[in-house]
Amino acid sequence: MITSGMTTSLGFGRPSKNVSLYRRVCGFLSAGVLCLLIALPAAEAQAKKKKERTPFAFTYVSRADDPYYETRRAYTGLTLREKKRPIDGVHAGLREVRVLGRRVGLAFDLDAVELGEGETAIDAVESAIADGHAVFVLDLPLDEMTALAEATVNRDILLFDVRHPDTELRRTFCPGHLFYMRPSRAMVADALAQYLREKGWRNVLMLNGPEEADARDADAFRSAAEKFGLTIVAEQDFILSNDPRNRDRNNIALMTGEPDHDVIFLTDNLGEFGRYVPFATYLARPVVGSEGLIASGWHWTWERHGAPQLNQRFYRKAERNMVATDWAAWAAVKSVVEAISRTEATKPADLRTFLTSDAFILDTYKGAPGSFRRWNRQLRQPILLHTHNAVIERAPLPQFLHATNQLDTLGLDQPDSDCR
Amino acid sequence: MRIIASGCLMILVMATPDGAIAKNTGNIFISNEKSSTISVLGPDDEIVETIETCARPRGMHFSHDRTQFYVGCADDSIIAIYDVARRDLVQRIRGVEEPETFDLHPNGKHLYISNEEDAAATLYDVESGEFLDEFETGEEPEGVQVTSDGKLVFVASEAANLVHVIDTEAGEVIEDILVDTRPRRFALNKHETELWVSAELAGMVNIIDLESFELIGDIELLPTGFRKEQVTPVDLLITADGRRAYIALGRANHVAVVDVESRKVEKYILVGSRPWGLALTHDEKKLYVANGLSDDISIIDTDSLKVTKSLPVGLVPYGILIDDH
């Protein structure tokens, strides 16, 4: 049985902004009854208004007990890397678009689907399509996501992947209804490489972790280094160990002695080893990659382009800082609603045409307008290079030029992708 | 220094109560968002004082009789009221959520304010400090414009791409107009038949017909050598004779000069980094431009359309008020 998660319909039951006036008045009135008398008609009027609007649903598809979200505890029980479900980003986007809903006569809804054991994404999506839902935000393991996209390629629906950064997907996997909202590993590595190039930190020592994800990050960086003219002077694979017999793979000073280099690029998705590298290196060198200077699709401290407002809005409801995957989910909602308001259409085919056209502009809150690459429907976006508490730079850096869109200096440009 | 023509007038000035004839000082007030100060320039365009204000001062507006001015401090949620001549703080209205900009109704009492982080515009009685009403808008409301007959108030929601029209008598939003991406500020043409609104991310100004509330035109802004996405227009002004518009182009570092009737750009003037705020002198001979990312202002002579002076002010200058009439 497919279990439908909590359906939150915006506007129903939530105190609207109009109600806040009564809240202020009631602050002075001691009689709770009086407040209720004011509230009831207000809530009724609100509900009435909502009834005039056609519902438009976003369906969030995720898997319960997804090992990806299992909190991995490091030694002594520390949580170093915690992944949060990007559904909070969807909520944030939906809250923002309710007034636009008023304008276009739609009530935007969220249907959160959590797949149990034995349930498939394909079945869940088919069921949602039967209910008239057409827009899906996907938080699924990679093979399930690709299987779903392949199975539904001829359906009139839109799929937004907000989770997977794999560059290979952008190179070879591009069904026409699938949109990639997160930056690819290539985009993130390119952003870092542009910065290193601009700083003149050209000689790079790579410290590579043992995980699959580490290997992919390292691959992306090697490509980026070649693209932007950096020199990888050495690569060291590390393991988590104190055994002196393995010192050449666990002794930080030893691994970072020679050859000389300007900067260390570290890949460590688990986070347990890498956190010890900064300031323990043999030479005084900055660390970038998984620690130190990190390249992401979003950061909670970005202070320009309206970002503080977006971060505040998110924090107030989610009670935590917005991260890149939240932003990707938020951007999916905003993109669809922007397309609806500009085309006055709700059919996915019409929305898809608009989303991949030159007329589509997404306010990314990162200083450049977002748009979708026609060849692989990757969202073009700036990348933020940040420490734990500040954004140091925003990529693409101005020195890197492009014939048509500077954002295409990051990631797979049209000739780099097999997608057309 | 202003020369007072008659001794009689001089006596009058001294005899009247505080602030009664306290205007036309020739001073210019510039709000500096990041340093939380107001730079005061004298009539010769040199800094005469730096006033420490509440946190994150942005929008500013003169009172009806121009003897006072209001400053919205977003991080303190305060509207601070200063005396123009004495330059001291006379009153604070507290609890105004993150005010960004505001406009004053012709009745001189009603101040319509955009509350940036609240998705709302609020109405306050600026004399009593009393909160009067609240209007739901899209996220990040910024620009506020009251018509000169006080019947309508326009509020731009940056994140929702909407211009909301508030009927002041009915006390409610009567229309939501969809405009281009990230609408910021407004200007009304001479007969108030058109509302011009800057669409920051679309790099253009939309023109709305005020009878039908429909979009009737666009002005695309593109100085030579810039890409469309690098042009981010914010503040705009239309001269009193209705002939010319000035538009600050944000990241494109220029001010556009536009002929209102033909809607054609006549010239682009290079100013400082990220110009947002604009102000014209009463005789419209000088245009002041606040350059947020070079911490300075540019002063343009409107006959020659050239920058005659640049002057460092506080950190991230935002808005400008000129007390010259």
Side-chain angles (χ1 to χ4, degrees):
Chain A
M1 239 8 258
I2 287 162
T3 47
S4 198
M6 189 179 60
T7 302
T8 28
S9 185
L10 279 183
F12 286 113
R14 265 178 64 326
S16 77
K17 264 290 134 179
N18 288 328
V19 171
S20 68
L21 169 58
Y22 101 86
R23 221 188 320 151
R24 280 182 230 249
V25 171
C26 286
F28 297 108
L29 300 170
S30 51
V33 174
L34 187 56
C35 289
L36 210 57
L37 285 175
I38 298 169
L40 280 174
E44 227 180 81
Q46 200 62 24
K48 210 185 196 166
K49 253 199 210 169
K50 285 293 168 301
K51 288 201 184 94
E52 292 163 7
R53 296 196 222 165
T54 317
F56 184 97
F58 286 83
T59 308
Y60 182 87
V61 188
S62 64
R63 178 163 288 289
D65 302 326
D66 189 333
Y68 181 74
Y69 289 105
E70 244 171 64
T71 304
R72 184 191 173 276
R73 301 236 180 253
Y75 180 54
T76 71
L78 299 179
T79 302
L80 296 174
R81 299 261 193 264
E82 201 167 11
K83 297 195 188 85
K84 295 287 188 187
R85 297 260 187 196
I87 191 173
D88 287 332
V90 178
H91 284 303
L94 288 173
R95 273 191 303 275
E96 277 180 37
V97 299
R98 69 175 184 274
V99 173
L100 258 175
R102 176 170 88 191
R103 166 71 176 66
V104 300
L106 294 172
F108 295 112
D109 265 343
L110 171 64
D111 184 17
V113 173
E114 234 187 3
L115 304 168
E117 205 175 309
E119 293 165 356
T120 67
I122 296 172
D123 287 341
V125 167
E126 288 294 347
S127 169
I129 294 174
D131 286 340
H133 297 183
V135 177
F136 298 87
V137 179
L138 305 178
D139 174 18
L140 291 167
L142 183 58
D143 48 357
E144 286 190 64
M145 189 277 285
T146 52
L148 171 66
E150 278 172 339
T152 56
V153 70
N154 290 317
R155 308 305 299 273
D156 192 21
I157 58 173
L158 299 176
L159 303 179
F160 291 90
D161 178 76
V162 300
R163 175 159 147 180
H164 298 285
D166 304 71
T167 309
E168 270 316 293
L169 293 173
R170 280 76 171 167
R171 199 190 311 278
T172 60
F173 189 76
C174 22
H177 61 328
L178 178 65
F179 292 80
Y180 293 109
M181 303 308 292
R182 275 194 80 175
S184 62
R185 283 202 173 90
M187 287 164 75
V188 157
D190 284 354
L192 210 37
Q194 283 192 2
Y195 185 71
L196 297 182
R197 179 72 211 217
E198 194 257 350
K199 296 293 285 184
W201 300 345
R202 301 231 208 120
N203 296 318
V204 184
L205 177 85
M206 285 179 72
L207 279 185
N208 303 324
E211 298 295 304
E212 172 72 42
D214 298 336
R216 298 212 183 156
D217 286 339
D219 275 336
F221 187 76
R222 284 185 206 99
S223 301
E226 190 179 330
K227 185 169 167 183
F228 292 104
L230 305 174
T231 305
I232 298 167
V233 299
E235 293 198 36
Q236 306 278 9
D237 294 335
F238 66 80
I239 54 167
L240 192 64
S241 162
N242 280 326
D243 188 342
R245 297 171 200 81
N246 288 323
R247 65 170 71 83
D248 60 334
R249 289 192 294 157
N250 65 36
N251 185 306
I252 295 170
L254 191 59
M255 287 194 286
T256 57
E258 55 179 16
D260 197 3
H261 48 281
D262 299 313
V263 63
I264 292 167
F265 178 77
L266 167 76
T267 61
D268 182 18
N269 281 270
L270 289 183
E272 197 157 349
F273 179 90
R275 59 188 167 137
Y276 293 111
V277 175
F279 308 107
T281 53
Y282 187 80
L283 303 166
R285 297 291 181 267
V287 177
V288 307
S290 302
E291 299 287 340
L293 189 72
I294 300 171
S296 304
W298 188 251
H299 200 251
W300 58 277
T301 64
W302 183 231
E303 55 184 36
R304 293 180 55 195
H305 311 122
Q309 276 64 253
L310 176 56
N311 276 319
Q312 276 283 359
R313 291 199 285 272
F314 183 88
Y315 189 90
R316 274 198 295 227
K317 295 294 178 177
E319 291 176 332
R320 62 177 177 82
N321 292 322
M322 194 180 209
V323 296
T325 39
D326 300 318
W327 186 92
W330 168 89
V333 172
K334 299 286 289 199
S335 295
V336 171
V337 176
E338 175 71 11
I340 291 173
S341 58
R342 298 288 169 206
T343 60
E344 296 185 1
T346 51
K347 268 189 52 102
D350 297 329
L351 299 178
R352 189 202 296 195
T353 307
F354 183 79
L355 287 170
T356 48
S357 74
D358 287 336
F360 172 70
I361 298 176
L362 174 72
D363 185 356
T364 58
Y365 286 70
K366 291 188 276 186
S371 57
F372 288 101
R373 290 180 173 150
R374 202 172 279 131
W375 49 97
N376 61 9
R377 280 156 297 287
Q378 164 71 50
L379 179 72
R380 291 184 180 95
Q381 54 189 283
I383 306 289
L384 303 177
L385 299 163
H386 61 87
T387 62
H388 64 291
N389 64 2
V391 175
I392 307 303
E393 184 57 271
R394 181 178 65 102
L397 273 69
Q399 299 89 330
F400 297 93
L401 307 180
H402 191 274
T404 51
N405 189 326
Q406 208 213 355
L407 293 174
D408 286 344
T409 58
L410 303 174
L412 297 185
D413 201 349
Q414 193 162 10
D416 304 321
S417 171
D418 296 341
C419 298
R420 289 287 166 261
Chain B
M1 234 175 25
R2 290 177 49 242
I3 299 161
I4 298 181
S6 81
C8 277
L9 188 56
M10 180 73 145
I11 293 163
L12 259 172
V13 169
M14 290 159 76
T16 45
D18 273 337
I21 304 180
K23 51 183 180 171
N24 202 359
T25 55
N27 288 338
I28 296 155
F29 302 93
I30 298 151
S31 55
N32 302 304
E33 266 197 77
K34 194 167 176 182
S35 48
S36 295
T37 53
I38 289 175
S39 302
V40 186
L41 305 188
D44 56 354
D45 291 333
E46 287 299 337
I47 294 190
V48 298
E49 188 185 349
T50 301
I51 305 171
E52 302 264 341
T53 66
C54 35
R56 198 158 180 225
R58 289 187 296 181
M60 296 195 293
H61 204 282
F62 279 113
S63 64
H64 194 59
D65 63 3
R66 299 177 66 93
T67 59
Q68 296 179 331
F69 68 95
Y70 316 129
V71 182
C73 287
D75 287 357
D76 278 339
S77 289
I78 282 176
I79 303 272
I81 302 177
Y82 287 86
D83 181 279
V84 170
R86 293 195 320 261
R87 308 202 286 263
D88 58 0
L89 182 67
V90 297
Q91 195 194 332
R92 286 185 194 97
I93 305 175
R94 293 186 194 270
V96 183
E97 302 287 332
E98 291 95 22
E100 184 159 5
T101 69
F102 33 88
D103 202 4
L104 190 61
H105 191 278
N107 67 19
K109 281 197 312 168
H110 289 166
L111 193 65
Y112 288 85
I113 303 166
S114 54
N115 305 93
E116 186 178 33
E117 299 199 11
D118 250 22
T122 47
L123 168 60
Y124 276 79
D125 181 316
V126 76
E127 282 167 14
S128 66
E130 191 192 340
F131 165 84
L132 296 176
D133 207 347
E134 187 176 39
F135 310 92
E136 182 181 14
T137 65
E139 302 287 348
E140 290 167 56
E142 181 175 335
V144 183
Q145 178 79 48
V146 184
T147 52
S148 58
D149 62 9
K151 293 212 175 121
L152 298 175
V153 179
F154 306 103
V155 180
S157 295
E158 296 179 67
N161 303 331
L162 292 173
V163 170
H164 307 283
V165 184
I166 299 171
D167 180 312
T168 54
E169 248 165 282
E172 58 180 34
V173 176
I174 56 168
E175 193 82 31
D176 300 311
I177 308 168
L178 189 67
V179 293
D180 276 299
T181 319
R182 211 165 173 86
R184 300 281 307 262
R185 310 270 180 89
F186 299 109
L188 284 162
N189 68 344
K190 183 170 171 169
H191 300 294
E192 303 200 354
T193 54
E194 290 177 359
L195 179 71
W196 288 33
V197 53
S198 50
E200 187 185 17
L201 277 208
M204 60 173 81
V205 165
N206 289 145
I207 300 170
I208 298 171
D209 170 71
L210 285 183
E211 222 158 305
S212 60
F213 293 139
E214 308 228 322
L215 269 134
I216 53 169
D218 278 332
I219 303 172
E220 299 213 359
L221 300 153
L222 195 63
T224 310
F226 284 89
R227 287 222 169 116
K228 187 173 169 226
E229 59 264 21
Q230 293 170 311
V231 183
T232 56
V234 177
D235 209 0
L236 63 169
L237 296 175
I238 294 180
T239 52
D241 63 6
R243 294 241 197 103
R244 190 188 259 179
Y246 297 103
I247 306 167
L249 300 186
R251 217 168 311 136
N253 303 337
H254 282 70
V255 169
V257 183
V258 173
D259 173 72
V260 172
E261 203 189 313
S262 67
R263 299 178 188 162
K264 296 258 172 294
V265 178
E266 293 177 337
K267 190 172 188 194
Y268 292 103
I269 308 169
L270 182 67
V271 290
S273 184
R274 208 208 67 180
W276 274 9
L278 296 174
L280 272 168
T281 51
H282 192 57
D283 60 12
E284 298 186 339
K285 290 212 185 291
K286 284 156 83 179
L287 175 69
Y288 288 74
V289 184
N291 304 307
L293 294 186
S294 45
D295 292 347
D296 62 358
I297 58 159
S298 304
I299 304 171
I300 296 173
D301 167 71
T302 57
D303 286 327
S304 63
L305 293 180
K306 287 191 159 64
V307 176
T308 53
K309 184 170 185 178
S310 292
L311 182 71
V313 289
L315 303 183
V316 192
Y318 183 92
I320 306 167
L321 285 183
I322 303 176
D323 176 41
D324 62 352
H325 70 284

